[in-house]
Amino acid sequence: MLILGIESSCDDTSVALLDCSEQGCFVIKESTASQIEIHQKYGGVVPEIAGRMHAEKIVPLIEQVLTGQSKPDIIAVTTGPGLITGLIVGTEAARTLAWTKNIPTVSVNHISGHIHAVEIGEYKIQYPALALIVSGGHTELIYITEPGDYKILGATLDDAAGECFDKVAKLLGLPYPGGPQISKLAETGNTKTISFPRPMLDSDNLNFSFSGLKTSALYWLRDNKLTAEKIIPYELPTGIYGQSNSEPTTNDFCASFEQAIVDVLVKKTIKAAEEYKLKTIILGGGVAANKKLREELSGAIKQFIPYSLFLVPSLKYCMDNAAMIAVAGYKQAIKKDFTDWQNLTADPNWELGR
Ligand code: KG4
Ligand code: ZN
């Protein structure tokens, strides 16, 4: 079955054509236009600009991916959650293509895309499964009994993990998106130098909260006067550029901060996993590209939930992409979960499981 995936919920316009069957979902062709460079100037995604950029890119990308290929059997498009300015561009493109080419459409939730990103290629989720989806907009623990049956066990009460990375990076004067920058700087820092809070680490539920950690990072930077001017370029070793080895460096700050986020994410995931008999644990979303999180969650699963399979997408498919939307769409198509193109509507607040 040929599936055309379309994704435009944030700052990536992405189109992919996949061949999906019982053997797995394989990418035939894909193309993504990132808007990061444009939004960097503003320190974050500007919805109005994002919408315009998606509108500019969507048709050329669809053309590029479909040229020379057979007509897709199905169109899978992200209709929510995300920025309405972007979602309507992808949704309208899918509606137009569906109507003019007479192709059935599937309405895909962006988070279900992040979950099924691990199935790009030959890997398969075995159920029941638990997914930790961590991105710029989401931090969720999801229990899945079968594709389409999602139950949110816990979510952030305020900032998402990626948002916390991005906001603290901004305090340091690092460019958007800050998560990769902080994790790069953290590589040569000491995780124990600064004792940041681990919000809700021992709460008796599976929710998260990161705004207190962000505030604590803000106060620490203010009190210790570690500002953008003092940042050590990460190509250079620590301890130079006027920072003595005895003072915490930017690298130490980043390592300690990153460790606080990773500790909470890992502990809560293991807590959830211990409550359910799981066959698979999935890590997905942009923050799943974080090396420390991948390593520490993998280590904890081996130690505490050794009977379960741990699946993480390749780095490329942690970020927003249309291939993951095509895979999630394929799962829905098998269950005949189609939406007539007339009823395909962007829903920026679509909660998974609803
Ligand atoms: O899933 P995604 O591409 O877009 C959303 O749906 O939000 O995730 C982007 C988020 C950003 O907050 C970015 O800072 C974060 O993922 N991110 C990382 C890393 N790479 C991307 N956070 C921490 N460490 C990383 N290596
Ligand atoms: Zn995402």
Side-chain angles (χ1 to χ4, degrees):
M1 198 185 271
L2 278 185
I3 323 270
L4 180 74
I6 300 177
E7 158 63 37
S8 60
S9 68
C10 189
D11 56 354
D12 290 298
T13 325
S14 185
V15 177
L17 186 67
L18 273 74
D19 186 6
C20 293
S21 67
E22 283 195 350
Q23 275 65 53
C25 276
F26 299 93
V27 177
I28 297 172
K29 212 163 169 192
E30 62 187 328
S31 196
T32 298
S34 166
Q35 305 175 1
I36 281 184
E37 273 182 30
I38 296 136
H39 297 296
Q40 261 173 355
K41 283 183 229 149
Y42 306 95
V45 179
V46 183
E48 159 80 11
I49 297 174
R52 285 167 188 264
M53 298 301 298
H54 285 303
E56 222 171 82
K57 296 286 178 194
I58 195 90
V59 173
L61 289 181
I62 292 174
E63 213 169 22
Q64 198 185 328
V65 168
L66 288 185
T67 300
Q69 308 292 338
S70 310
K71 182 174 119 174
D73 299 300
I74 284 152
I75 299 170
V77 60
T78 306
T79 54
L83 296 175
I84 185 66
T85 52
L87 291 169
I88 48 174
V89 173
T91 305
E92 290 308 315
R95 280 161 59 98
T96 310
L97 205 58
W99 174 56
T100 53
K101 304 271 181 200
N102 196 21
I103 305 172
T105 49
V106 176
S107 177
V108 178
N109 182 293
H110 182 76
I111 302 301
S112 81
H114 277 304
I115 293 171
H116 293 285
V118 295
E119 294 182 293
I120 300 170
E122 71 273 24
Y123 293 106
K124 290 219 174 72
I125 299 172
Q126 290 165 29
Y127 297 94
L130 174 78
L132 171 67
I133 302 302
V134 265
S135 71
H138 296 269
T139 303
E140 272 154 26
L141 275 167
I142 304 149
Y143 180 64
I144 315 150
T145 46
E146 59 177 277
D149 185 8
Y150 308 106
K151 186 177 164 212
I152 309 281
L153 301 179
T156 181
L157 303 177
D158 39 59
D159 290 354
E163 189 180 359
C164 186
F165 268 111
D166 295 342
K167 285 179 175 168
V168 169
K170 203 169 177 181
L171 296 174
L172 283 169
L174 296 168
Y176 173 84
Q181 313 278 338
I182 288 196
S183 78
K184 186 79 193 148
L185 285 162
E187 276 175 22
T188 47
N190 183 342
T191 56
K192 296 193 171 64
T193 308
I194 307 161
S195 161
F196 283 120
R198 269 77 173 148
M200 298 183 75
L201 187 69
D202 296 311
S203 67
D204 57 7
N205 56 46
L206 295 168
N207 289 329
F208 302 88
S209 165
F210 291 106
S211 73
L213 172 60
K214 176 189 67 188
T215 309
S216 152
L218 168 74
Y219 289 157
W220 193 93
L221 288 172
R222 186 196 60 189
D223 297 344
N224 291 275
K225 301 189 173 49
L226 189 67
T227 56
E229 299 84 67
K230 280 198 186 174
I231 285 180
I232 303 164
Y234 47 72
E235 302 81 31
L236 297 170
T238 51
I240 54 172
Y241 281 87
Q243 287 181 332
S244 85
N245 281 325
S246 57
E247 279 177 32
T249 63
T250 313
N251 303 67
D252 296 333
F253 171 87
C254 290
S256 302
F257 168 76
E258 180 184 61
Q259 189 68 54
I261 293 195
V262 169
D263 281 353
V264 177
L265 293 175
V266 171
K267 184 153 183 200
K268 290 267 166 163
T269 307
I270 297 300
K271 183 178 160 78
E274 281 171 337
E275 284 177 26
Y276 295 84
K277 193 114 190 83
L278 300 167
K279 293 204 174 138
T280 313
I281 299 174
I282 299 156
L283 173 63
V287 182
N290 185 279
K291 200 169 155 221
K292 187 165 224 20
L293 176 60
R294 292 164 87 96
E295 285 172 2
E296 297 214 354
L297 187 55
S298 160
I301 290 168
K302 269 191 207 125
Q303 189 181 350
F304 299 108
I305 328 279
Y307 49 86
S308 98
L309 180 70
F310 178 47
L311 294 178
V312 197
S314 62
L315 289 183
K316 176 176 167 186
Y317 294 122
C318 287
M319 307 305 163
D320 290 349
N321 65 87
M324 69 182 195
I325 302 303
V327 180
Y330 170 63
K331 306 285 166 189
Q332 288 176 236
I334 295 172
K335 297 175 93 179
K336 308 255 177 290
D337 179 14
F338 294 103
T339 303
D340 291 341
W341 68 263
Q342 292 94 330
N343 297 326
L344 212 55
T345 324
D347 177 0
N349 302 315
W350 182 7
E351 275 172 38
L352 196 66
R354 162 165 75 78

